[in-house]
């Protein structure tokens, strides 16, 4: 299942990874000045979802392994033909609920196309750059769906201002609201930066929870930090962490964060030490937890003061 702009439209039934896609028209539309040619595809991420989706004719692959191979081939072709290639998890339950809400037949290709490019789900899209599907990319698609739901929740709590949605609205109140949310987002990013700077080089995972109206906001991110301060983190995970911190700080919600992993680097003769720190917030600031914390099964001692980290 796929959608794209700037080329002849493909057969949606084929682009779910069943058979090779066939262009419906032999011509290409001219690219608008300054516009990218984009390709978007929905990917089934496990055998159970594959089995359910086959009933709607999403793919004619005989099994999940063949489906992944066909999808990988399709993506490789898209990388050669399009400026931007993005993917998102095709979640059968989400799709069924989407069709019910909009009165669509899930067996129709048009329904799958509408689901794929549904604007509220844009936060679930991931760029594809040639990664192995069966490696880390499929789990990232699953996390991107979960992250996207959390981002939508946070944006709702912030009255649509998380992505600057109110910037084009008229009225001083809207502009003030956007500045307020932007300030909280920047403070959230600074909180995360100070956590990492204080930890130093190492391999870590951050787990974050903020108690919010409508349910908890949660985020997790794996971080690799070198001794020179360079950090490796998936863009979508960084975006989610900053968004959850933003919502917590803007609305002064209670929260807890744990950073744990192995502290050290090759520059320290390969010596790695287990580490786990915890911070909490009950208002406009984050500080060391008052007592030891256990979050998602990870035990951590009160962290260092973020105010002392440059």
């Amino acid at each position: 299942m796929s959608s794209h702009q700037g080329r002849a439209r493909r057969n949606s039934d084929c682009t779910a990874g069943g058979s090779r896609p066939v262009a419906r028209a032999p011509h290409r539309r001219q690219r608008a000045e300054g516009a990218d040619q984009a390709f978007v595809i929905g990917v089934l991420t496990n055998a159970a979802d594959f089995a359910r989706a086959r009933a709607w004719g999403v793919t004619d692959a005989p099994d999940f392994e063949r489906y992944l191979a066909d999808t990988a081939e399709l993506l490789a072709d898209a990388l050669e033909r399009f400026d931007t290639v993005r993917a998102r998890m095709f979640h059968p339950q989400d799709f069924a609920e989407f069709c019910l809400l909009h009165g669509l037949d899930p067996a129709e290709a048009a329904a799958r196309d509408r689901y794929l490019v549904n604007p509220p789900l844009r936060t679930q899209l991931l760029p594809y750059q040639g990664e192995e599907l069966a490696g880390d990319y499929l789990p990232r698609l699953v996390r991107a769906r979960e992250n996207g739901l959390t981002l939508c929740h946070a944006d709702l709590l912030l009255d649509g201002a998380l992505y600057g949605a109110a910037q084009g609205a008229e009225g001083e109140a809207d502009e003030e609201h956007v500045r307020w949310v932007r300030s909280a987002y920047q403070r959230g990013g600074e909180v995360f930066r100070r956590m990492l700077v204080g930890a130093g080089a190492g391999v870590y995972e951050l787990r974050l929870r903020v108690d919010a109206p409508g349910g908890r906001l949660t985020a997790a991110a794996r971080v690799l930090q070198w001794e020179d301060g360079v950090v490796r983190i998936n863009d979508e995970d960084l975006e989610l962490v900053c968004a959850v911190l933003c919502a917590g700080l803007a609305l002064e919600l209670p929260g807890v964060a744990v950073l744990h992993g192995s502290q050290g680097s090759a520059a320290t003769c390969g010596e790695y030490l287990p580490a786990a720190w915890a911070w909490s917030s009950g208002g406009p600031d984050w500080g060391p937890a008052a007592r030891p914390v256990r979050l998602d099964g990870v035990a951590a001692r009160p962290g260092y003061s973020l105010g002392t980290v440059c």
Side-chain angles (χ1 to χ4, degrees):
M1 181 189 66
S2 63
S3 175
H4 54 269
Q5 301 167 348
R7 299 285 178 116
R9 193 167 185 82
R10 293 184 173 191
N11 185 325
S12 296
D13 291 331
C14 292
T15 53
S19 54
R20 291 293 300 157
V22 178
R24 289 185 172 178
H27 66 278
R28 300 177 182 176
R29 286 184 287 176
Q30 293 296 316
R31 177 192 305 184
E33 185 176 355
D36 286 340
Q37 295 176 325
F39 179 90
V40 179
I41 185 171
V43 179
L44 297 162
T45 59
N46 59 68
D49 287 355
F50 167 80
R52 183 172 183 184
R54 284 197 71 194
W56 294 319
V58 170
T59 175
D60 58 3
D63 52 48
F64 185 59
E65 289 71 22
R66 182 66 243 176
Y67 164 80
L68 287 181
D70 290 342
T71 302
E73 186 179 356
L74 175 62
L75 284 166
D77 177 65
L79 283 175
E80 296 180 357
R81 300 180 55 196
F82 297 93
D83 297 306
T84 303
V85 178
R86 294 181 296 172
R88 58 179 291 257
M89 177 184 181
F90 184 89
H91 191 280
Q93 186 60 37
D94 289 355
F95 176 59
E97 293 174 357
F98 177 84
C99 290
L100 182 63
L101 178 64
H102 295 280
L104 303 173
D105 180 357
E108 293 292 331
R112 298 192 286 274
D113 287 343
R114 283 187 59 181
Y115 164 76
L116 179 62
V117 298
N118 186 27
L121 302 180
R122 67 190 183 280
T123 55
Q124 299 183 17
L125 289 168
L126 280 183
Y128 179 78
Q129 300 174 321
E131 299 92 335
E132 290 288 336
L133 286 184
D136 185 54
Y137 195 72
L138 286 185
R140 284 182 64 193
L141 287 177
V142 175
R143 291 198 304 272
R145 172 185 172 269
E146 297 169 350
N147 291 0
L149 295 175
T150 300
L151 288 170
C152 287
H153 184 186
D155 192 45
L156 181 64
L157 292 171
L158 297 169
D159 296 329
L162 183 59
Y163 298 101
Q167 286 180 351
E170 296 181 358
E172 183 177 346
D174 287 335
E175 294 176 3
E176 182 179 350
H177 179 68
V178 171
R179 287 196 297 269
W180 169 63
V181 173
R182 186 181 299 116
S183 174
Y185 193 94
Q186 292 170 346
R187 285 189 288 131
E190 180 64 11
V191 165
F192 187 34
R193 186 191 73 82
R194 288 173 181 259
M195 289 178 179
L196 296 180
V197 170
V203 180
Y204 306 105
E205 180 181 27
L206 177 78
R207 294 178 179 267
L208 173 64
R209 185 187 72 204
V210 169
D211 295 327
R216 289 173 172 170
L217 299 173
T218 61
R222 296 176 181 175
V223 179
L224 175 59
Q225 184 168 220
W226 281 272
E227 54 270 17
D228 59 0
V230 174
V231 172
R232 180 177 179 181
I233 181 174
N234 287 331
D235 290 341
E236 64 272 16
D237 294 336
L238 176 61
E239 179 184 19
L240 183 67
V241 167
C242 290
V244 172
L245 287 170
C246 169
L249 290 169
L251 302 174
E252 299 190 4
L253 302 171
V256 61
V258 167
L259 183 67
H260 69 102
S262 298
Q263 183 183 41
S265 69
T268 57
C269 300
E271 182 180 1
Y272 296 91
L273 301 174
W277 302 278
W279 297 269
S280 63
S281 174
D285 298 301
W286 281 81
R291 59 182 62 87
V293 167
R294 179 174 291 274
L295 180 62
D296 297 335
V298 177
R301 59 183 173 85
Y304 36 86
S305 173
L306 299 177
T308 62
V309 178
C310 297

